[in-house]
Amino acid sequence: MKVKILYKKVATKFIAKNQSKISKDSVDILVFKAVKKIVKKEDINIDLKKLITNDGELFRIRKGDIRIIFSLDGDANVIVSLVEKIGFRGDVYK
C-alpha cells in the first residue's frame, strides 16, 4: 500500500504559522497511521473519527488541541490523502 499525502493551502499556512505546535512530518505520520487504521483495519492507538458531512467522507484526527481534517481517495495500489484543514479545536470545524 502506497500513501500519497497532499495538502490544501489552508493546511500548509497553519503548519507554517504554528511550527512550535506541530510540524509537517508529524502530520504525515499521523495521517499515515490513520490510513493504516482505516484501510488495513490495524489496531493503532490514534484518536480518529469519521465525520458526517454533505461533502463526502471526511475523517478527523485529534492531537491535543489540534485537529486534522482529511479525506481519502484512490484504489488498492495508491491511496491519496488530502489534508483539508488543520486548526485548533472549535476553529477547524467552521
Side-chain angles (χ1 to χ4, degrees):
M1 172 180 79
K2 187 175 180 181
V3 178
K4 185 174 182 180
I5 301 173
L6 304 173
Y7 290 86
K8 282 196 170 181
K9 191 174 184 178
V10 176
T12 311
K13 278 185 168 182
F14 181 84
I15 292 172
K17 287 182 182 178
N18 298 289
Q19 283 291 330
S20 63
K21 300 272 186 190
I22 194 161
S23 68
K24 192 169 183 179
D25 293 336
S26 61
V27 173
D28 287 345
I29 291 168
L30 289 169
V31 171
F32 185 72
K33 284 182 180 180
V35 169
K36 282 175 62 175
K37 186 171 185 172
I38 294 166
V39 174
K40 290 190 172 184
K41 309 285 191 230
E42 290 185 16
D43 188 24
I44 297 174
N45 189 14
I46 187 169
D47 192 349
L48 177 71
K49 185 176 182 180
K50 184 176 179 180
L51 300 176
I52 301 170
T53 64
N54 294 334
D55 300 335
E57 214 171 62
L58 292 176
F59 297 92
R60 184 265 297 152
I61 300 172
R62 181 174 72 111
K63 178 72 174 178
D65 286 343
I66 295 177
R67 307 297 187 261
I68 302 166
I69 310 293
F70 69 98
S71 62
L72 292 178
D73 191 26
D75 55 17
N77 297 334
V78 178
I79 297 173
V80 178
S81 174
L82 177 62
V83 178
E84 305 274 342
K85 288 183 181 178
I86 301 175
F88 294 106
R89 63 184 185 102
D91 295 337
V92 76
Y93 301 112
K94 294 177 184 174

Tab-separated table of all heavy atoms in Angstrom, residues 30-42 44-51 58-63 67-72 81 93:
chain	number	residue	atom	x	y	z
A	30	LEU	N	0.893	11.041	11.433
A	30	LEU	CA	-0.464	10.845	11.941
A	30	LEU	C	-1.425	10.412	10.840
A	30	LEU	O	-2.250	9.506	11.036
A	30	LEU	CB	-0.969	12.121	12.612
A	30	LEU	CG	-0.328	12.481	13.947
A	30	LEU	CD1	-0.732	13.883	14.363
A	30	LEU	CD2	-0.731	11.475	15.018
A	31	VAL	N	-1.338	11.054	9.684
A	31	VAL	CA	-2.228	10.698	8.570
A	31	VAL	C	-1.924	9.283	8.081
A	31	VAL	O	-2.836	8.512	7.782
A	31	VAL	CB	-2.123	11.735	7.425
A	31	VAL	CG1	-2.859	11.264	6.194
A	31	VAL	CG2	-2.669	13.074	7.880
A	32	PHE	N	-0.645	8.922	8.011
A	32	PHE	CA	-0.284	7.569	7.580
A	32	PHE	C	-0.825	6.517	8.554
A	32	PHE	O	-1.355	5.482	8.133
A	32	PHE	CB	1.235	7.441	7.450
A	32	PHE	CG	1.666	6.122	6.899
A	32	PHE	CD1	1.459	5.802	5.568
A	32	PHE	CD2	2.258	5.168	7.713
A	32	PHE	CE1	1.834	4.577	5.054
A	32	PHE	CE2	2.646	3.945	7.214
A	32	PHE	CZ	2.437	3.644	5.878
A	33	LYS	N	-0.725	6.779	9.858
A	33	LYS	CA	-1.280	5.857	10.854
A	33	LYS	C	-2.800	5.736	10.699
A	33	LYS	O	-3.363	4.650	10.804
A	33	LYS	CB	-0.951	6.328	12.266
A	33	LYS	CG	0.458	6.079	12.687
A	33	LYS	CD	0.666	6.551	14.124
A	33	LYS	CE	2.065	6.316	14.605
A	33	LYS	NZ	2.255	6.770	15.994
A	34	ALA	N	-3.463	6.868	10.447
A	34	ALA	CA	-4.913	6.857	10.286
A	34	ALA	C	-5.323	6.069	9.050
A	34	ALA	O	-6.290	5.307	9.085
A	34	ALA	CB	-5.438	8.287	10.200
A	35	VAL	N	-4.578	6.225	7.958
A	35	VAL	CA	-4.883	5.477	6.737
A	35	VAL	C	-4.718	3.981	6.985
A	35	VAL	O	-5.545	3.175	6.546
A	35	VAL	CB	-3.994	5.964	5.567
A	35	VAL	CG1	-4.104	5.034	4.376
A	35	VAL	CG2	-4.381	7.376	5.162
A	36	LYS	N	-3.669	3.594	7.685
A	36	LYS	CA	-3.471	2.183	8.009
A	36	LYS	C	-4.619	1.653	8.863
A	36	LYS	O	-5.084	0.535	8.661
A	36	LYS	CB	-2.147	1.979	8.745
A	36	LYS	CG	-0.945	1.998	7.813
A	36	LYS	CD	0.372	1.910	8.530
A	36	LYS	CE	0.552	0.641	9.305
A	36	LYS	NZ	1.898	0.535	9.903
A	37	LYS	N	-5.101	2.471	9.796
A	37	LYS	CA	-6.214	2.048	10.647
A	37	LYS	C	-7.510	1.910	9.843
A	37	LYS	O	-8.274	0.977	10.050
A	37	LYS	CB	-6.409	3.039	11.790
A	37	LYS	CG	-7.442	2.598	12.798
A	37	LYS	CD	-7.452	3.483	14.014
A	37	LYS	CE	-8.417	2.916	15.035
A	37	LYS	NZ	-8.328	3.619	16.306
A	38	ILE	N	-7.732	2.831	8.896
A	38	ILE	CA	-8.966	2.806	8.106
A	38	ILE	C	-8.932	1.682	7.070
A	38	ILE	O	-9.863	0.902	6.959
A	38	ILE	CB	-9.185	4.165	7.410
A	38	ILE	CG1	-9.438	5.255	8.435
A	38	ILE	CG2	-10.344	4.089	6.421
A	38	ILE	CD1	-9.341	6.661	7.877
A	39	VAL	N	-7.853	1.596	6.309
A	39	VAL	CA	-7.793	0.682	5.173
A	39	VAL	C	-7.472	-0.744	5.605
A	39	VAL	O	-8.150	-1.691	5.219
A	39	VAL	CB	-6.768	1.188	4.130
A	39	VAL	CG1	-6.590	0.185	3.011
A	39	VAL	CG2	-7.211	2.524	3.570
A	40	LYS	N	-6.431	-0.894	6.409
A	40	LYS	CA	-5.986	-2.238	6.800
A	40	LYS	C	-6.649	-2.754	8.068
A	40	LYS	O	-6.392	-3.885	8.479
A	40	LYS	CB	-4.477	-2.251	6.984
A	40	LYS	CG	-3.703	-2.123	5.693
A	40	LYS	CD	-2.252	-2.386	5.940
A	40	LYS	CE	-1.475	-2.455	4.652
A	40	LYS	NZ	-0.066	-2.804	4.900
A	41	LYS	N	-7.445	-1.924	8.717
A	41	LYS	CA	-8.144	-2.275	9.955
A	41	LYS	C	-7.167	-2.699	11.055
A	41	LYS	O	-7.453	-3.574	11.858
A	41	LYS	CB	-9.159	-3.399	9.718
A	41	LYS	CG	-10.114	-3.175	8.588
A	41	LYS	CD	-11.172	-2.187	8.958
A	41	LYS	CE	-12.246	-2.202	7.900
A	41	LYS	NZ	-12.599	-0.923	7.407
A	42	GLU	N	-5.980	-2.054	11.077
A	42	GLU	CA	-4.995	-2.355	12.106
A	42	GLU	C	-5.384	-1.675	13.415
A	42	GLU	O	-6.029	-0.638	13.422
A	42	GLU	CB	-3.605	-1.887	11.673
A	42	GLU	CG	-3.020	-2.703	10.557
A	42	GLU	CD	-1.589	-2.301	10.232
A	42	GLU	OE1	-0.950	-1.612	11.058
A	42	GLU	OE2	-1.120	-2.682	9.154
A	44	ILE	N	-4.307	0.518	15.831
A	44	ILE	CA	-3.324	1.563	16.082
A	44	ILE	C	-3.941	2.567	17.040
A	44	ILE	O	-5.101	2.952	16.899
A	44	ILE	CB	-2.923	2.256	14.760
A	44	ILE	CG1	-2.247	1.250	13.833
A	44	ILE	CG2	-1.995	3.428	15.028
A	44	ILE	CD1	-1.950	1.785	12.461
A	45	ASN	N	-3.154	2.985	18.019
A	45	ASN	CA	-3.633	3.932	19.019
A	45	ASN	C	-3.573	5.354	18.467
A	45	ASN	O	-2.551	6.025	18.546
A	45	ASN	CB	-2.777	3.820	20.285
A	45	ASN	CG	-3.360	4.618	21.421
A	45	ASN	OD1	-4.512	5.032	21.359
A	45	ASN	ND2	-2.575	4.850	22.444
A	46	ILE	N	-4.678	5.790	17.880
A	46	ILE	CA	-4.789	7.144	17.339
A	46	ILE	C	-6.241	7.581	17.501
A	46	ILE	O	-7.164	6.770	17.357
A	46	ILE	CB	-4.345	7.203	15.852
A	46	ILE	CG1	-4.302	8.627	15.346
A	46	ILE	CG2	-5.208	6.350	14.985
A	46	ILE	CD1	-3.640	8.776	13.996
A	47	ASP	N	-6.444	8.842	17.854
A	47	ASP	CA	-7.798	9.363	18.043
A	47	ASP	C	-8.345	9.772	16.680
A	47	ASP	O	-8.063	10.848	16.176
A	47	ASP	CB	-7.768	10.546	18.996
A	47	ASP	CG	-9.159	10.951	19.451
A	47	ASP	OD1	-10.147	10.461	18.882
A	47	ASP	OD2	-9.253	11.755	20.387
A	48	LEU	N	-9.131	8.890	16.102
A	48	LEU	CA	-9.649	9.050	14.742
A	48	LEU	C	-11.164	8.939	14.768
A	48	LEU	O	-11.718	8.091	15.472
A	48	LEU	CB	-9.057	7.963	13.838
A	48	LEU	CG	-9.525	7.913	12.400
A	48	LEU	CD1	-8.961	9.100	11.631
A	48	LEU	CD2	-9.088	6.621	11.760
A	49	LYS	N	-11.820	9.810	14.006
A	49	LYS	CA	-13.278	9.775	13.943
A	49	LYS	C	-13.728	10.104	12.535
A	49	LYS	O	-13.164	10.969	11.879
A	49	LYS	CB	-13.859	10.794	14.922
A	49	LYS	CG	-15.353	10.769	15.035
A	49	LYS	CD	-15.814	11.735	16.081
A	49	LYS	CE	-17.324	11.670	16.235
A	49	LYS	NZ	-17.799	12.602	17.255
A	50	LYS	N	-14.750	9.405	12.072
A	50	LYS	CA	-15.350	9.691	10.767
A	50	LYS	C	-16.383	10.799	10.962
A	50	LYS	O	-17.228	10.734	11.855
A	50	LYS	CB	-16.013	8.440	10.213
A	50	LYS	CG	-16.566	8.598	8.843
A	50	LYS	CD	-17.110	7.283	8.332
A	50	LYS	CE	-17.688	7.446	6.965
A	50	LYS	NZ	-18.228	6.180	6.463
A	51	LEU	N	-16.282	11.835	10.129
A	51	LEU	CA	-17.201	12.965	10.222
A	51	LEU	C	-18.350	12.796	9.245
A	51	LEU	O	-18.154	12.327	8.120
A	51	LEU	CB	-16.469	14.273	9.919
A	51	LEU	CG	-15.313	14.630	10.838
A	51	LEU	CD1	-14.645	15.901	10.353
A	51	LEU	CD2	-15.778	14.789	12.256
A	58	LEU	N	-15.167	12.455	5.251
A	58	LEU	CA	-14.059	13.155	5.887
A	58	LEU	C	-13.738	12.465	7.205
A	58	LEU	O	-14.611	11.877	7.845
A	58	LEU	CB	-14.409	14.619	6.162
A	58	LEU	CG	-14.588	15.527	4.963
A	58	LEU	CD1	-15.016	16.912	5.417
A	58	LEU	CD2	-13.311	15.626	4.162
A	59	PHE	N	-12.474	12.564	7.607
A	59	PHE	CA	-12.027	11.985	8.863
A	59	PHE	C	-11.323	13.057	9.678
A	59	PHE	O	-10.768	14.001	9.129
A	59	PHE	CB	-11.065	10.819	8.599
A	59	PHE	CG	-11.689	9.690	7.863
A	59	PHE	CD1	-11.630	9.634	6.483
A	59	PHE	CD2	-12.352	8.683	8.535
A	59	PHE	CE1	-12.210	8.596	5.786
A	59	PHE	CE2	-12.936	7.638	7.856
A	59	PHE	CZ	-12.863	7.591	6.473
A	60	ARG	N	-11.338	12.868	11.015
A	60	ARG	CA	-10.720	13.819	11.914
A	60	ARG	C	-9.711	13.100	12.794
A	60	ARG	O	-10.001	12.048	13.370
A	60	ARG	CB	-11.791	14.460	12.787
A	60	ARG	CG	-11.302	15.543	13.711
A	60	ARG	CD	-10.960	15.109	15.114
A	60	ARG	NE	-12.096	14.581	15.857
A	60	ARG	CZ	-11.974	13.682	16.825
A	60	ARG	NH1	-10.822	13.183	17.141
A	60	ARG	NH2	-13.036	13.242	17.467
A	61	ILE	N	-8.509	13.665	12.916
A	61	ILE	CA	-7.502	13.183	13.847
A	61	ILE	C	-7.363	14.242	14.930
A	61	ILE	O	-7.259	15.428	14.629
A	61	ILE	CB	-6.129	12.984	13.163
A	61	ILE	CG1	-6.229	11.970	12.034
A	61	ILE	CG2	-5.084	12.551	14.184
A	61	ILE	CD1	-4.975	11.868	11.199
A	62	ARG	N	-7.351	13.793	16.191
A	62	ARG	CA	-7.180	14.723	17.301
A	62	ARG	C	-5.816	14.503	17.925
A	62	ARG	O	-5.456	13.393	18.289
A	62	ARG	CB	-8.257	14.502	18.353
A	62	ARG	CG	-8.149	15.467	19.517
A	62	ARG	CD	-9.316	15.287	20.451
A	62	ARG	NE	-9.202	14.035	21.182
A	62	ARG	CZ	-8.955	13.948	22.494
A	62	ARG	NH1	-8.806	15.037	23.201
A	62	ARG	NH2	-8.880	12.783	23.087
A	63	LYS	N	-5.043	15.561	18.023
A	63	LYS	CA	-3.726	15.516	18.660
A	63	LYS	C	-3.648	16.723	19.598
A	63	LYS	O	-3.331	17.832	19.174
A	63	LYS	CB	-2.621	15.570	17.602
A	63	LYS	CG	-1.230	15.574	18.136
A	63	LYS	CD	-0.877	14.217	18.680
A	63	LYS	CE	0.589	14.212	19.076
A	63	LYS	NZ	0.974	12.973	19.650
A	67	ARG	N	-6.680	19.744	15.504
A	67	ARG	CA	-7.485	18.793	14.735
A	67	ARG	C	-7.000	18.795	13.284
A	67	ARG	O	-6.719	19.856	12.725
A	67	ARG	CB	-8.960	19.173	14.761
A	67	ARG	CG	-9.561	19.374	16.139
A	67	ARG	CD	-9.519	18.094	16.963
A	67	ARG	NE	-10.246	18.232	18.220
A	67	ARG	CZ	-9.690	18.478	19.390
A	67	ARG	NH1	-8.391	18.674	19.466
A	67	ARG	NH2	-10.408	18.571	20.477
A	68	ILE	N	-6.934	17.599	12.702
A	68	ILE	CA	-6.531	17.444	11.307
A	68	ILE	C	-7.706	16.817	10.569
A	68	ILE	O	-8.134	15.711	10.912
A	68	ILE	CB	-5.282	16.548	11.188
A	68	ILE	CG1	-4.127	17.138	12.001
A	68	ILE	CG2	-4.890	16.374	9.724
A	68	ILE	CD1	-2.983	16.179	12.213
A	69	ILE	N	-8.246	17.515	9.588
A	69	ILE	CA	-9.378	17.030	8.794
A	69	ILE	C	-8.827	16.596	7.441
A	69	ILE	O	-8.148	17.370	6.774
A	69	ILE	CB	-10.434	18.139	8.585
A	69	ILE	CG1	-10.816	18.815	9.898
A	69	ILE	CG2	-11.652	17.585	7.856
A	69	ILE	CD1	-11.560	17.946	10.869
A	70	PHE	N	-9.139	15.343	7.039
A	70	PHE	CA	-8.628	14.853	5.761
A	70	PHE	C	-9.633	13.923	5.106
A	70	PHE	O	-10.561	13.435	5.740
A	70	PHE	CB	-7.279	14.135	5.951
A	70	PHE	CG	-7.358	12.828	6.686
A	70	PHE	CD1	-7.383	11.634	5.994
A	70	PHE	CD2	-7.405	12.794	8.059
A	70	PHE	CE1	-7.461	10.421	6.670
A	70	PHE	CE2	-7.474	11.595	8.743
A	70	PHE	CZ	-7.501	10.411	8.047
A	71	SER	N	-9.435	13.706	3.806
A	71	SER	CA	-10.277	12.792	3.037
A	71	SER	C	-9.383	11.765	2.345
A	71	SER	O	-8.191	11.990	2.170
A	71	SER	CB	-11.103	13.557	2.006
A	71	SER	OG	-10.243	14.208	1.094
A	72	LEU	N	-9.976	10.657	1.951
A	72	LEU	CA	-9.246	9.585	1.274
A	72	LEU	C	-9.839	9.343	-0.100
A	72	LEU	O	-11.044	9.452	-0.304
A	72	LEU	CB	-9.318	8.282	2.075
A	72	LEU	CG	-8.595	8.240	3.398
A	72	LEU	CD1	-8.814	6.893	4.064
A	72	LEU	CD2	-7.123	8.492	3.220
A	81	SER	N	-4.387	10.855	0.155
A	81	SER	CA	-4.999	11.503	1.300
A	81	SER	C	-4.842	13.006	1.140
A	81	SER	O	-3.730	13.505	0.989
A	81	SER	CB	-4.319	11.029	2.584
A	81	SER	OG	-4.811	11.750	3.669
A	93	TYR	N	-13.719	23.406	12.536
A	93	TYR	CA	-14.981	22.886	12.017
A	93	TYR	C	-15.840	23.955	11.335
A	93	TYR	O	-16.846	23.648	10.736
A	93	TYR	CB	-15.795	22.245	13.151
A	93	TYR	CG	-15.054	21.117	13.809
A	93	TYR	CD1	-14.594	21.207	15.105
A	93	TYR	CD2	-14.810	19.938	13.114
A	93	TYR	CE1	-13.908	20.169	15.704
A	93	TYR	CE2	-14.124	18.883	13.693
A	93	TYR	CZ	-13.680	19.007	14.987
A	93	TYR	OH	-13.006	17.979	15.584
